[in-house]
Amino acid sequence: MMQNFLVFRIGERLFGVRLQGAVEIVSWERPRRVPLSYSYVEGVRDYRGIVRLLGLSRPGPIGFTASDGKAGGNDRSVILLREGDWPFGIIVDAVVKMANLDDAVDDTIDVEGMGAQLVRGVRYEDDQEIILLSFERLFYAG
Amino acid sequence: MDASNRFLILSLEGEGFAIPIASLLEITVPRNIQKDPKLSEVFEGKTAYRGKLIPVVNLKKVLKLAGRAGGGLIVIKSSKGPVGLLVDSSTELFESRDHPAAIPRGILNSSLQYYAGILKNRDGLVLLLNVEGLLP
């Protein structure tokens, strides 16, 4: 089934999340770090409640390490999403576009350096690879 | 406002953490901490408090924060008796109008019981420490 996805860039990779779950895009501010949190958690932020911020470019079992070293910086954005009752944010280098893409989950996809529970599938548009993400399994696993 | 809404804000490597005033016994500086090989590595040793030796925990080691042991000592009550916590400094007594917000799921392993919630003060978010959960 075709769905609208919000496409964003981290480093030189493009990712997509279902637009349906996206609440808002806000500018990045230094989050409150939480000692001993998972490697992909950059911290928490107060934005109409406590929001956890995920940094997918942080090394670890879930995120990937941006091989080009271009991820990061203070001009990043935060895409606020909602999964169940808990809001969360993904820290991205730039929001690129909206795209109408096939929503089907493909469990056989293996994206190098990324945790399998985070990847919903891979699509191609304008010769560009877009990695579709799903956070359901990430949160309900931990 | 009752004591359950009052907190001591302490600093570790520039970040604020809170403990309930109700569990606070004393704010002082560490003196003559004696090493005790029977204690685990998060303890710096023991120090005298009101005529007894009490264990002293290096909070930075518990929370796996970099940096040297703090230069301030907070003595708290725990179910195991008084315990000293080494911190960088005690910065504020804070009354919160709101109850602490819950730690969102998916942030850290749920078996770690180090935090009791999140408070908001004028400087931003402060992690409320779970005094009992911190102690090994």
Side-chain angles (χ1 to χ4, degrees):
Chain A
M1 191 172 136
M2 302 299 279
Q3 288 268 2
N4 282 330
F5 281 81
L6 189 61
V7 178
F8 56 90
R9 179 176 61 75
I10 301 176
E12 291 195 339
R13 276 175 153 175
L14 292 181
F15 298 88
V17 290
R18 275 192 291 192
L19 189 65
Q20 188 185 347
V23 178
E24 207 164 335
I25 299 166
V26 297
S27 59
W28 182 84
E29 287 174 12
R30 182 179 173 273
R32 174 61 168 86
R33 300 206 181 275
V34 180
L36 303 171
S37 58
Y38 293 127
S39 59
Y40 56 85
V41 174
E42 285 220 3
V44 291
R45 174 173 167 177
D46 181 21
Y47 192 83
R48 299 176 197 152
I50 304 298
V51 175
R52 59 205 155 157
L53 297 182
L54 310 185
L56 301 181
S57 60
R58 293 168 71 87
I62 304 297
F64 68 95
T65 304
S67 57
D68 53 23
K70 288 180 181 170
N74 288 343
D75 57 350
R76 292 178 286 173
S77 298
V78 176
I79 301 174
L80 296 175
L81 302 126
R82 184 167 282 277
E83 183 66 55
D85 293 334
W86 292 101
F88 67 99
I90 318 169
I91 298 170
V92 307
D93 288 332
V95 176
V96 177
K97 62 181 177 181
M98 263 179 49
N100 195 246
L101 302 168
D102 185 356
D103 190 32
V105 177
D106 185 353
D107 278 328
T108 64
I109 288 288
D110 181 22
V111 178
E112 187 183 350
M114 291 202 72
Q117 65 266 57
L118 194 61
V119 177
R120 185 179 194 88
V122 175
R123 307 287 180 267
Y124 292 87
E125 192 176 86
D126 301 331
D127 292 332
Q128 287 186 303
E129 181 187 78
I130 301 172
I131 301 164
L132 303 185
L133 302 178
S134 171
F135 293 91
E136 294 161 23
R137 287 178 290 182
L138 179 62
F139 293 140
Y140 293 102
Chain B
M1 197 164 281
D2 66 62
S4 65
N5 285 348
R6 302 182 69 215
F7 303 91
L8 174 73
I9 309 295
L10 56 93
S11 175
L12 293 169
E13 295 299 314
E15 297 273 25
F17 295 83
I19 60 167
I21 289 288
S23 64
L24 182 65
L25 292 172
E26 191 168 326
I27 301 171
T28 181
V29 289
R31 291 188 192 91
N32 299 325
I33 296 178
Q34 301 162 26
K35 293 284 179 196
D36 184 341
K38 293 181 209 151
L39 296 174
S40 71
E41 64 167 16
V42 299
F43 290 95
E44 287 297 308
K46 288 186 172 179
T47 193
Y49 173 73
R50 296 182 186 172
K52 288 185 177 176
L53 284 177
I54 62 166
V56 175
V57 174
N58 182 344
L59 265 188
K60 290 185 191 176
K61 281 189 181 170
V62 175
L63 298 174
K64 297 197 168 23
L65 295 172
R68 300 174 62 181
L73 180 69
I74 294 170
V75 182
I76 58 163
K77 319 181 230 198
S78 79
S79 60
K80 297 169 185 169
V83 176
L85 304 176
L86 288 175
V87 302
D88 287 337
S89 60
S90 302
T91 59
E92 187 184 347
L93 288 173
F94 169 63
E95 284 191 355
S96 176
R97 292 179 186 170
D98 304 313
H99 289 295
I103 299 283
R105 64 182 297 172
I107 282 193
L108 72 170
N109 189 315
S110 55
S111 67
L112 296 176
Q113 301 291 314
Y114 295 164
Y115 307 114
I118 301 176
L119 296 164
K120 298 176 198 174
N121 77 350
R122 63 175 183 275
D123 296 324
L125 299 178
V126 177
L127 296 174
L128 176 60
L129 297 174
N130 173 16
V131 169
E132 295 295 336
L134 286 171
L135 304 176

